[in-house]
Every structure is written in structure tokens, then in C-alpha cells.
Amino acid sequence: MKRRAFLAYILVPALSVLVLALIGYGGRDRRISRPLEKISLPPPRYNSSVSIEYALKVRRSIREYENKPLTLEQVAQLAWAAQGITDERYGFRTAPSAGATYPLEIYIICKKNGVEGLSEGVYHYLPREHALELVKRGDYSRELMSACLDQEWVRDAAVNIVITANYERTTYRYGERGRIRYVHMEVGHVGQNVYLQCVSLGLGCVVIGAFYDEEIKRILGVDEEPLYVIPVGVKKGGW
Ligand SMILES: Cc1cc2nc3c(=O)[nH]c(=O)nc-3n(C[C@H](O)[C@H](O)[C@H](O)COP(=O)(O)O)c2cc1C
């Protein structure tokens, strides 16, 4: 490996992570500017009767759901599986991240009666606090379906998880390679976490990549790049 490449891709990022780790910095939650409300989430569970091997074996993309709400516990567990903090000191999360730069943000779009005890709206997940902040009120399920090329499972799902990226967090350290490779690798890790967590919770989901970027940004009301929309609902017939 050339000396410059070694410095750029291995030594400098490794030293940055080490320094951050030594000073106990695990990254701060990126907050929206004026949240309407903050909802503390029930703590995640770390065990279940579904083995990881079984979840890997049966996982499928599910596009039909029961017309039933999710519980707040299930939403909390999904958000945690996507980006939850698993190491309080260093702020490391359930999914790996190049140089622990954490460029991804998680949004939960809840339709009317989509989640018990949660009103319809767009919510942003705060990993450090394990909480949701309400970005916008309203049922956006139909608008979201049309932004996803009229894929009906988007409207039918109890919630849609939207994963966005702030590329600069990664390109700041890794340059263009962060944009064309690392951030997109990371969203794949998160998507699989959500798939496997769904199996364990008796839920079904499908990752969606076909959508109009600008429409999704308008619905979320943020200037971040949407990478995945993931409808989630109670799986018909269970796993
Ligand atoms: C990057 C990516 C984009 C996808 N986009 C869509 C989509 O827009 N709509 C959809 O219904 N499924 C989408 N899928 C799901 C695939 O269709 C699905 O994974 C594939 O058919 C294999 O089925 P399985 O996930 O059940 O194994 C996407 C999957 C990936 C990895």
C-alpha cells in the first residue's frame, strides 16, 4: 500500500478514533432545530426467543401487513436496532460506521393509528437519548407512497423508517470515498439490522430504494439525502 493511502485511509482515521475514544467522546445526537415534542422510548431488550440463525434463515422482504398498530416498545426496538448506542463511553452503535463518523439519521413516519400511544407524524430518532423528537405532525403515508412510485406497501405499513445521510460527516475524513462507498455500505448494515429485528418482533418490512429523493426530503423537511424507505407492519400469519 502506498504511504499516502496508508495515511489517508488507515493511520489518520485510526488515530482520530483513538483520540476520540480516549477523551470519551462518542458523538452527540444531531437534533432538529425546533422539535414540537420529545418522547422517551422504552429501553431496548437484549434477548428474545428467536435465534439469530433462525432470523437469518427466514428473513424475507414483506409487502403485506395486518391492519394493526405497532407498540411503542416495537418502534423503540426497531430504532435501537437501526442506530442504537451499544457502548455508552465511546458512543458505538448497533451498526458499524467508517471511522465512527455516523453519517446516518433515522426517521419514523407514523400514520394515523400506526403506533399505540403515538400520534401521526414524522419523528427523528436521538440515539444518545434513545428518544424520538417530533419533527412534523400529520399522516404522510399517502404522500410517502406517491414519493415511492406508488408502492402500496408504503401506505399500508404501520410506520415507515426513513434512513438519510449527511455525507459530509464521512467525506470530511475520507474524501470522495466516503460518498461513493462508505456511507452506502453503512446503510446496508442498518437495513439488515432492521430486517432481522423485524423477524424477532413478528413484524415484516422491505427496504425501498426506488423513490424521488426531492419528494422524500420535502416530506421529512430536512436537507439530508434519503437512502432507504422501510415500511414496517405486523406480518400476516407471523414467521
Ligand atoms: C438496494 C435495494 C433496493 C430495493 N428497492 C426496493 C423497492 O423499491 N421496492 C421493493 O418492493 N423492494 C425493494 N427491494 C427489495 C428487493 O426486491 C428484495 O430484497 C429482493 O426481491 C429479494 O427478496 P428478499 O429480500 O425477500 O430476499 C430493494 C432491495 C435492495 C437491496
Side-chain angles (χ1 to χ4, degrees):
M1 185 185 285
K2 292 213 171 76
R3 192 164 163 264
R4 245 181 100 181
F6 175 75
L7 284 173
Y9 295 119
I10 298 184
L11 191 61
V12 171
L15 284 176
S16 321
V17 172
L18 187 67
V19 169
L20 292 175
L22 286 173
I23 62 174
Y25 175 83
R28 289 181 196 90
D29 284 335
R30 201 276 297 152
R31 290 186 168 69
I32 61 154
S33 54
R34 272 188 225 101
L36 301 171
E37 205 182 311
K38 191 166 356 160
I39 295 110
S40 294
L41 292 172
R45 294 186 51 176
Y46 303 130
N47 46 41
S48 88
S49 57
V50 178
S51 72
I52 187 76
E53 292 81 3
Y54 181 76
L56 285 165
K57 166 87 172 65
V58 301
R59 178 214 66 82
R60 280 277 76 82
S61 291
I62 302 298
R63 300 177 181 84
E64 284 183 34
Y65 317 105
E66 299 276 5
N67 187 18
K68 279 188 191 162
L70 304 192
T71 64
L72 196 58
E73 282 78 10
Q74 288 173 324
V75 171
Q77 195 72 31
L78 288 167
W80 175 82
Q83 278 294 278
I85 304 286
T86 47
D87 180 315
E88 288 295 334
R89 183 163 181 215
Y90 304 139
F92 296 145
R93 303 185 183 185
T94 48
S97 172
T101 49
Y102 300 114
L104 304 177
E105 298 291 334
I106 304 295
Y107 293 85
I108 309 282
I109 302 193
C110 175
K111 74 174 180 188
K112 192 168 164 53
N113 300 322
V115 180
E116 288 167 7
L118 200 64
S119 53
E120 59 270 32
V122 176
Y123 296 84
H124 172 239
Y125 180 56
L126 299 169
R128 273 266 171 211
E129 294 183 44
H130 189 56
L132 294 177
E133 51 182 3
L134 178 60
V135 183
K136 285 166 85 175
R137 293 184 204 281
D139 186 333
Y140 291 91
S141 53
R142 279 174 189 278
E143 271 183 64
L144 196 63
M145 173 178 76
S146 111
C148 295
L149 284 64
D150 287 327
Q151 300 189 60
E152 290 168 5
W153 31 100
V154 172
R155 176 200 56 204
D156 298 343
V159 301
N160 280 267
I161 299 172
V162 182
I163 308 176
T164 66
N166 180 332
Y167 287 100
E168 285 67 35
R169 286 183 211 151
T170 306
T171 55
Y172 176 75
R173 194 167 314 157
Y174 296 105
E176 201 45 25
R177 197 172 177 82
R179 182 179 301 276
I180 60 173
R181 297 249 177 122
Y182 294 172
V183 171
H184 301 149
M185 292 168 173
E186 290 188 28
V187 79
H189 292 295
V190 175
Q192 183 74 352
N193 282 6
V194 172
Y195 266 115
L196 298 178
Q197 183 66 79
C198 276
V199 175
S200 164
L201 295 172
L203 306 176
C205 73
V206 51
V207 293
I208 287 188
F211 48 75
Y212 298 112
D213 297 357
E214 292 309 314
E215 281 303 294
I216 303 286
K217 284 161 97 161
R218 187 185 56 73
I219 292 168
L220 294 177
V222 297
D223 191 22
E224 295 159 10
E225 292 306 318
L227 296 179
Y228 262 156
V229 174
I230 314 181
V232 183
V234 175
K235 185 182 179 298
K236 282 193 171 160
W239 289 99

